[in-house]
Amino acid sequence: MKFKTMQYPLDVKVKFLLMIGVLLAFLLLVFIVNSNSSSPAAYQPPSAQLESWKASSVFSKEVVVVPSTSCPPSSSSSSTSSCSKIPPSLAQALIHYSTSNVTPQQTLKEISVTWKVLEKRSPCNFLVFGLGHDSLMWSALNHGGRTVFLEEDRAWIDQIKQRFPTLESHHVVYDTKVRQAEDLLKVGKREECAVVGDPRSSKCRLALKGMPDEIYEIEWDLIMVDAPTGYFEDAPGRMTALYTAGLMARNRKDGDTDVFVHDVDRLVEDKFSRAFLCDGYMREQQGRLRHFTIPSQTLGASPGDGLFCP
């Protein structure tokens, strides 16, 4: 993620800053409403006002709004004061993006695809392949949940940790090259790659091994594949990341996993996402971002039974 030095038009930067301003304004309004309440127990979240504002011209479809978390009833004034404060993760993100010349690599429309799902599912477990300029944003938008980043470059992890020590990240080693993609796509069609199970015990060459055990054991509600590097022949490419994301989604006990893939304008991301996340599970594509919703398949899939893709 960090290798892409993309520059966006001024209007995109302005829209992004507008989004940040709207978030801050809304949270400040909630603070004022809450502080003026005669009793904390009588406080009700302004959901009706929020729906009205979303429908107004001020909140266009391109503007992302972060809803507040209502405070639990309490007779303690200190509890009310603490609950009405802006969460530290959100405050840090607001300050960072408001004062930085570097914007997230995804466009506002692409970010909004993931945000629509996060709005419904957060706080949740969110796994992101890649650590970059948008990591602080994803962590803030999943406030109260667990957001974990997987990164190939150990030096980059150390650099980010110095700036944002609250972000959780792990180093991952990839043993593939983009130039192997065509052969690996054929490997993915073998019988052993159609079996649903824990990637650690998979016999498929594409199953990514060597990550911390908790990465395999947690049931991830959202997975984003925006790494590793994949824009030149000797880069590791996202072949194993895409296959493993699909395998972990299918291996959860029940429910669905929303998987997002960035840079689908490139050959590897396009072909491998369609093959292993499946056209039948694709929900939306906006720009270079695809959204898939993959159901649990914990009963396993026998070769040729059609369970891996619908």
Side-chain angles (χ1 to χ4, degrees):
M1 298 166 73
K2 60 189 176 302
F3 297 95
K4 296 175 287 185
T5 57
M6 301 176 64
Q7 297 295 326
Y8 293 102
L10 181 60
D11 62 332
V12 174
K13 176 70 174 181
V14 171
K15 288 180 180 179
F16 185 78
L17 291 177
L18 175 61
M19 177 182 72
I20 296 297
V22 169
L23 301 181
L24 183 57
F26 176 72
L27 288 170
L28 288 175
L29 179 61
V30 171
F31 172 79
I32 294 172
V33 171
N34 188 47
S35 62
N36 288 336
S37 299
S38 58
S39 171
Y43 172 76
Q44 296 294 329
S47 56
Q49 295 180 26
L50 175 60
E51 293 304 320
S52 175
W53 294 339
K54 284 182 177 179
S56 71
S57 59
V58 176
F59 288 85
S60 67
K61 293 182 178 180
E62 291 187 340
V63 175
V64 180
V65 182
V66 176
S68 64
T69 301
S70 57
C71 300
S74 171
S75 58
S76 169
S77 59
S78 61
S79 173
T80 302
S81 176
S82 174
C83 188
S84 60
K85 288 184 178 179
I86 297 175
S89 61
L90 178 56
Q92 186 180 30
L94 287 169
I95 294 170
H96 170 71
Y97 291 115
S98 296
T99 58
S100 174
N101 291 325
V102 180
T103 57
Q105 289 107 342
Q106 296 184 26
T107 66
L108 184 59
K109 289 182 178 180
E110 291 168 349
I111 290 171
S112 297
V113 173
T114 307
W115 164 240
K116 285 189 298 184
V117 179
L118 267 175
E119 187 179 22
K120 297 176 181 178
R121 304 196 67 170
S122 64
C124 64
N125 293 324
F126 188 7
L127 180 65
V128 182
F129 285 82
L131 181 66
H133 299 302
D134 51 3
S135 298
L136 187 62
M137 175 189 68
W138 294 128
S139 180
L141 291 177
N142 189 31
H143 175 68
R146 185 174 184 180
T147 307
V148 179
F149 303 92
L150 304 177
E151 172 58 38
E152 68 199 271
D153 188 340
R154 193 182 296 275
W156 179 249
I157 293 177
D158 293 340
Q159 183 178 339
I160 292 297
K161 279 186 175 180
Q162 290 180 0
R163 297 180 61 194
F164 309 114
T166 59
L167 295 182
E168 182 180 356
S169 58
H170 299 281
H171 181 239
V172 178
V173 176
Y174 298 91
D175 61 357
T176 56
K177 302 292 183 184
V178 170
R179 50 183 162 79
Q180 301 172 320
E182 186 175 349
D183 291 335
L184 289 174
L185 192 59
K186 295 176 183 178
V187 168
K189 296 179 181 179
R190 295 176 182 172
E191 293 183 355
E192 64 267 24
C193 295
V195 178
V196 174
D198 191 319
R200 290 173 292 184
S201 58
S202 174
K203 296 181 180 180
C204 180
R205 167 76 174 80
L206 286 166
L208 184 59
K209 305 178 188 296
M211 295 186 291
D213 287 339
E214 61 180 340
I215 301 300
Y216 301 101
E217 294 164 0
I218 294 173
E219 291 194 348
W220 300 102
D221 303 298
L222 276 73
I223 301 177
M224 177 172 289
V225 181
D226 202 2
T229 313
Y231 62 88
F232 59 95
E233 287 293 290
D234 284 329
R238 301 177 186 174
M239 297 80 70
T240 57
L242 287 165
Y243 174 83
T244 304
L247 192 57
M248 288 194 294
R250 291 172 174 86
N251 195 48
R252 66 180 296 159
K253 292 180 180 179
D254 54 57
D256 297 335
T257 303
D258 290 286
V259 182
F260 305 87
V261 183
H262 197 224
D263 299 315
V264 295
D265 56 320
R266 301 193 306 215
L267 194 62
V268 168
E269 285 78 356
D270 176 41
K271 289 187 175 295
F272 277 73
S273 66
R274 290 182 180 276
F276 302 117
L277 302 180
C278 306
D279 282 330
Y281 295 144
M282 191 188 304
R283 295 293 174 260
E284 181 180 1
Q285 178 171 340
Q286 183 66 253
R288 298 175 297 133
L289 186 89
R290 280 184 191 151
H291 171 209
F292 300 82
T293 301
I294 301 178
S296 166
Q297 296 175 5
T298 51
L299 294 179
S302 299
D305 67 3
L307 284 178
F308 202 74
C309 278

